[in-house]
Amino acid sequence: MNDTVADSLDANAMPAWLLGELRSDQAGETGAVAIYHGILWASKDEEIRRFAEHHLRTEQSHLRKINAVIPTKSRSRLLPLWRAAGFVTGALPSLFGARAIYATIAAVETFVDEHYLQQIERLDRENLFPTLKALLAECREDELHHKQEAEQALGTALHPVLRAWCRIVDFGSRAAVAIERR
């Protein structure tokens, strides 16, 4: 699908809002890859490591697909920042155990679901780039699966400290998107 999407897109025909969204997607997928690298660096728990390795492969695939469709001139210049932020976002909760990791992933994926859905709906409303819309929908489905898997593993209600951490993660995700949209 990736070559088809890239071949069907005319970068010169992309509206500025879409270029900003693709840049935010590139930043987000870069950060997601780094989150899982952070988890793998910090966690020795075999179940967590399997979870992270599986999700890492998916996020790497998303990043390759987004990189293939975003015009070079519109790519993020802040990828080192998003790699560092993502790594910390994965490594830090790993120091506190599986529940902190699963809560972090659920928080990130809740935001990502909303973010991709907004883009898909706008492309649909404006009747633009159906192959790109399909690619984003495919990525969104994977992210929803990650969210559901994390929520299922997480189980019961969150401790107030963990809820506060998840609000910080959500805020950071929203701030990164706002920065990259510009």
Side-chain angles (χ1 to χ4, degrees):
M1 177 179 203
N2 207 29
D3 291 333
T4 305
V5 174
D7 292 343
S8 70
L9 294 176
D10 177 3
N12 295 323
M14 285 187 186
W17 72 264
L18 182 55
L19 293 171
E21 292 296 340
L22 289 173
R23 191 170 40 255
S24 73
D25 295 342
Q26 181 192 35
E29 296 298 349
T30 297
V33 166
I35 286 171
Y36 290 109
H37 281 298
I39 292 169
L40 290 168
W41 177 81
S43 180
K44 304 302 179 224
D45 181 312
E46 286 304 313
E47 182 179 327
I48 291 294
R49 292 183 65 76
R50 279 191 298 277
F51 172 88
E53 288 166 351
H54 172 71
H55 289 216
L56 173 61
R57 286 189 295 276
T58 305
E59 300 299 353
Q60 288 170 326
S61 173
H62 292 174
L63 181 57
R64 280 190 300 275
K65 291 173 182 178
I66 295 298
N67 281 339
V69 298
I70 187 170
T72 303
K73 66 180 179 159
S74 297
R75 292 182 178 197
S76 174
R77 294 186 183 111
L78 301 175
L79 295 181
L81 173 63
W82 308 134
R83 284 185 193 101
F87 189 87
V88 169
T89 302
L92 187 61
S94 298
L95 302 175
F96 297 96
R99 284 185 51 78
I101 293 167
Y102 292 133
T104 301
I105 298 305
V108 168
E109 299 299 12
T110 296
F111 170 77
V112 172
D113 170 36
E114 175 187 309
H115 179 64
Y116 273 135
L117 183 59
Q118 289 172 349
Q119 294 173 47
I120 292 163
E121 288 175 342
R122 184 158 182 190
L123 287 169
D124 194 45
R125 270 193 320 272
E126 297 186 19
N127 200 28
L128 293 172
F129 305 107
T131 53
L132 176 60
K133 183 178 79 170
L135 170 65
L136 297 176
E138 176 186 314
C139 291
R140 178 177 177 249
E141 283 300 314
D142 290 340
E143 306 295 4
L144 281 170
H145 178 72
H146 291 181
K147 174 187 169 187
Q148 292 164 351
E149 190 177 342
E151 287 175 340
Q152 184 177 24
L154 184 58
T156 61
L158 297 180
H159 184 277
V161 172
L162 203 45
R163 276 198 314 269
W165 166 250
C166 289
R167 283 194 296 275
I168 292 167
V169 168
D170 181 73
F171 175 79
S173 298
R174 290 179 192 285
V177 165
I179 290 167
E180 287 296 353
R181 282 180 174 157
R182 293 182 179 182

